[in-house]
């Protein structure tokens, strides 16, 4: 097979020609032909990789399965935490006999506190706030 059999007549826009002119030297290619061949091979490899443009499918699959395990574990931990929190709230509410109005007011205060601290509220901060409120009246 001669080299002429592998020739490709390629018509491009002025924009594409300008890109090739600029980038083939940046890529240390000896010719525009070498640059175009590298570009075609790169694009073909990307298509062969499927969805992942940066990682082979086996690596992406391994990462996805590990992430799924991590997500499942976090979800299970959050579920257990929610159950414990519900139990604690039920016990506290039964023992204190708190009205709905007081709960609404406390919820509004809690939402404001969480927003103000960007979710970084600590028990010590809450204690200081309650102490300062009791001093003020």
């Amino acid at each position: 097979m001669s080299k002429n059999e592998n020739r490709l007549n390629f018509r491009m826009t002025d924009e594409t020609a300008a890109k090739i002119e600029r980038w083939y030297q940046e890529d240390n290619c000896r010719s525009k032909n070498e640059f175009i061949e590298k570009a075609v091979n790169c694009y073909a490899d990307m298509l062969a990789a499927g969805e992942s443009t940066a990682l082979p499918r086996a690596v992406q699959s391994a990462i996805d399965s590990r992430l799924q395990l991590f997500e499942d574990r976090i979800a299970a931990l959050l579920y257990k935490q929610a159950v414990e929190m519900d139990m604690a709230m039920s016990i506290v509410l039964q023992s204190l006999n708190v009205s709905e109005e007081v709960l609404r007011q406390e919820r509004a205060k809690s939402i404001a506190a969480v927003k103000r601290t960007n979710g970084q509220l600590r028990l010590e901060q809450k204690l200081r706030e309650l102490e300062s409120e009791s001093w003020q009246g």
Side-chain angles (χ1 to χ4, degrees):
M1 198 184 257
S2 72
K3 289 196 177 225
N4 288 336
E5 291 179 25
N6 289 331
R7 285 188 176 262
L8 173 67
N9 188 11
F10 176 59
R11 293 188 183 115
M12 64 188 108
T13 64
D14 292 338
E15 236 179 275
T16 302
K19 287 178 186 177
I20 291 171
E21 186 65 40
R22 180 185 189 281
W23 288 106
Y24 92 92
Q25 292 173 347
E26 259 325 290
D27 196 35
N28 296 321
C29 293
R30 292 182 302 263
S31 67
K32 293 176 190 175
N33 190 61
E34 181 185 356
F35 177 77
I36 291 170
E37 188 170 347
K38 283 174 72 175
V40 168
N41 286 332
C42 178
Y43 185 64
D45 290 345
M46 184 186 74
L47 290 175
E51 294 175 8
S52 174
T53 58
L55 299 172
R57 281 189 182 168
V59 173
Q60 187 66 48
S61 178
I63 290 171
D64 289 345
S65 66
R66 293 298 295 174
L67 281 175
Q68 185 62 51
L69 289 172
F70 181 67
E71 289 172 0
D72 292 346
R73 178 145 190 230
I74 294 292
L77 288 171
L78 287 173
Y79 178 79
K80 288 178 185 178
Q81 184 181 22
V83 169
E84 295 297 319
M85 178 96 61
D86 184 66
M87 285 175 32
M89 285 189 303
S90 295
I91 291 169
V92 167
L93 289 175
Q94 286 173 2
S95 64
L96 295 178
N97 197 16
V98 178
S99 72
E100 259 189 80
E101 180 59 31
V102 170
L103 284 178
R104 269 192 232 99
Q105 291 171 353
E106 288 303 313
R107 179 173 306 280
K109 288 180 190 176
S110 293
I111 290 171
V114 169
K115 285 181 179 178
R116 185 177 65 251
T117 61
N118 199 24
Q120 300 296 315
L121 188 63
R122 295 180 41 177
L123 200 53
E124 293 87 355
Q125 289 172 304
K126 193 69 175 174
L127 181 62
R128 280 188 222 114
E129 286 177 13
L130 291 174
E131 286 173 348
S132 71
E133 283 178 15
S134 64
W135 278 101
Q136 292 173 1

